[in-house]
Amino acid sequence: MTFGGKDSVTVPPGKTAVSDAVALTWVRDPADPFLANRNLAVSIHVAGETGPITWHAKGLTTSYISPPGSGVQTLDQSGLAYPFSSTSWFFLDEVDMLLPKPAKVIVAFGDSITDGTGTTINGDDRWPDVLSRRLHTAYGDDFVVVNQGIGSNHVVGPADYAAKPIPGGASALSRLDRDIVRLPGVATVIWLEGINDFGAADATAEAVSEGYAKGVAYLRQKIPGVKIYAATLTSALNSTPTHGRPEVDAKRKALNEFLRSAKIFDGVIDFDGATLDGATGEVKAMYQPNSSVGGPGDKLHPNRAGYAAMANAIDLAMITGRAKK
């Protein structure tokens, strides 16, 4: 890879760098079935100390790491040069692909439940992953799903993030340009978020509803013709001390009622209905055990089966406007 024709790049703090285009020499025919569902490995060599680095903390996909001072090891194929591993991604933010024909981008926007907390490590079984496979099965390569979920993210807060940052990053409203508007080919947004506003910040249902309304209006202004679908919040009742409180569940239900009844969306996806145990008010018991590390789970994040149930609750004809091929 090169950057402006050079074989290295220095990225200033808080900035980004985009590489030159890379021709994938082994891709001779884009329709080759052996290319489908393959993972793309990207190797990065850092010269010297990095200082604090950007990362996707809960990537839930293995990164392999060579020892400090071992030099460039990107051509090693034995694996012996990479004795360390992590389930986080570092540095790399996105990969833009030049496709044989235009594809419509569907953005999954939200918090840790979109990011995939509780899913299988290296399993690619977040609800956006399952949705992507359903779309490819039904429509080939006509649609692409981009996951823009950030764990602990809020819809409307905190207002003073620059002065008092939180682990979930800047609010959803403040990252609309970065994570949705600037992406090429965005046709659809599925927005699932709000439980952290209630559990971690004690925001009101009215404040989060207003945040949704502002966000939807902004996206429609910036992306003419975009379709925006609200996804109802899944239950967190009896989960963590912050999110499992009855008052949080009451706010969740109030927000879900707003999402179902507001006329600002192009449709509603009922993730709550797909995962709720009506008798207990919690996420169904079979969706609770943690698929990442085992154990009983936290009753906040669904497991592999729960995320699959959510993705399977999405009406493909509704979000694409098309019947299956």
Side-chain angles (χ1 to χ4, degrees), residues 60-132:
L60 295 173
T61 304
T62 305
S63 295
Y64 297 93
I65 305 170
S66 60
S70 60
V72 179
Q73 300 289 344
T74 54
L75 296 181
D76 177 85
Q77 296 188 32
S78 69
L80 298 178
Y82 299 93
F84 306 106
S85 64
S86 169
T87 54
S88 300
W89 290 333
F90 302 91
F91 300 108
L92 185 64
D93 181 50
E94 62 186 47
V95 176
D96 291 336
M97 300 295 293
L98 181 61
L99 303 180
K101 62 178 182 178
K104 293 183 178 181
V105 172
I106 298 175
V107 178
F109 192 59
D111 51 33
S112 58
I113 296 178
T114 297
D115 196 11
T117 296
T119 54
T120 311
I121 295 173
N122 293 321
D124 292 327
D125 45 22
R126 311 160 188 87
W127 72 258
D129 297 327
V130 180
L131 171 61
S132 178

Side-chain angles (χ1 to χ4, degrees), residues 107 109 172-173 175-183 186-191 211-229 264-266:
V107 178
F109 192 59
L173 292 181
R175 64 186 182 96
L176 293 174
D177 281 320
R178 184 192 71 188
D179 290 351
I180 299 179
V181 173
R182 71 172 183 83
L183 298 179
V186 173
T188 302
V189 176
I190 301 174
W191 194 352
Y212 264 97
K214 290 179 181 178
V216 169
Y218 185 80
L219 290 174
R220 294 198 188 282
Q221 175 191 355
K222 293 293 184 176
I223 312 174
V226 67
K227 300 294 185 181
I228 304 173
Y229 297 92
I264 60 174
F265 303 103
D266 293 284

Side-chain angles (χ1 to χ4, degrees), residues 275-292:
T275 58
L276 182 69
D277 184 330
T280 65
E282 301 175 354
V283 169
K284 291 179 181 178
M286 62 181 174
Y287 299 153
Q288 292 180 14
N290 188 295
S291 295
S292 300

